[in-house]
Amino acid sequence: SKPARMRSRHWGIIATFWMLVIVPFLAIVSYLFLVAQPQYHSITGFTVRSQEESVANDLLGGLAQLTGGSTASDNDILYEFIRSQGMVERVNQDIDLRAHYSQHWPNDWFYSVWNDATKEDLIWFWNRVVNVSYDQGTGLMEVQVLAFDPETAQTIAQAVVDVSQQHIN
């Protein structure tokens, strides 16, 4: 048999591999090491405890739960509130979010918000830098905040906890 040699389909596979794997990998690595600014995470967790038990639920023995009747718990309401416009506005009163997150625009375009961002743009960006997770089994709500410096990340996380506490109480 003849020795193996490269054919046009082999060159196509190699070119496709370069275009779909190597070039995007090099672009991402270049961006992360040359352009992207350092980010800091602040993570806080808390639970919402209700002091009041439903007297009607106790009297009926949980009949409402068996029939499918349900109400949103404080945790569910708080989860949605943290991701809402109301939270962004309240935190933005104490901390100028637009100024902090636009300081590296346009160089770090992926992790920054633009200078003239509208309120809707700021809410969209808030949901990128503030992640909320809620475990229904334990009742633990965890808030993770990304920022360009550790002090701001902690300040925003503390502001979220403070505003949440005021909202629930």
Side-chain angles (χ1 to χ4, degrees):
S1 83
K2 296 179 185 178
R5 60 187 174 107
M6 293 290 285
R7 296 186 184 223
S8 61
R9 69 174 179 246
H10 300 127
W11 291 112
I13 291 172
I14 291 172
T16 302
F17 177 76
W18 269 87
M19 293 305 293
L20 295 177
V21 177
I22 302 299
V23 171
F25 175 75
L26 292 175
I28 290 169
V29 168
S30 299
Y31 174 77
L32 290 175
F33 282 103
L34 300 175
V35 177
Q37 298 297 315
Q39 290 191 352
Y40 298 89
H41 296 247
S42 180
I43 300 173
T44 185
F46 54 90
T47 60
V48 178
R49 304 267 185 214
S50 178
Q51 294 293 333
E52 302 171 2
E53 292 294 325
S54 173
V55 177
N57 194 24
D58 290 341
L59 292 175
L60 296 175
L63 184 61
Q65 291 178 351
L66 294 175
T67 60
S70 65
T71 58
S73 69
D74 289 343
N75 285 328
D76 296 332
I77 294 168
L78 187 58
Y79 175 84
E80 292 300 326
F81 177 70
I82 292 172
R83 300 171 43 89
S84 73
Q85 177 180 348
M87 177 63 82
V88 175
E89 289 174 349
R90 301 265 304 267
V91 172
N92 198 35
Q93 290 173 356
D94 299 332
I95 305 155
D96 191 1
L97 297 173
R98 191 174 285 112
H100 175 73
Y101 287 111
S102 68
Q103 64 186 338
H104 298 293
W105 177 265
N107 295 333
D108 189 2
W109 51 269
F110 190 76
Y111 292 113
S112 298
V113 69
W114 40 100
N115 296 329
D116 58 347
T118 63
K119 188 182 297 187
E120 289 80 15
D121 296 332
L122 194 60
I123 295 166
W124 169 82
F125 191 76
W126 171 265
N127 287 314
R128 285 188 61 204
V129 297
V130 176
N131 297 316
V132 184
S133 62
Y134 168 54
D135 184 5
Q136 291 183 343
T138 61
L140 180 67
M141 187 167 300
E142 184 177 277
V143 178
Q144 177 182 1
V145 178
L146 299 173
F148 291 123
D149 59 78
E151 295 81 19
T152 304
Q154 287 182 341
T155 304
I156 292 172
Q158 186 60 48
V160 168
V161 171
D162 293 343
V163 172
S164 298
Q165 202 171 28
Q166 293 170 2
H167 184 73
I168 288 298
N169 290 338

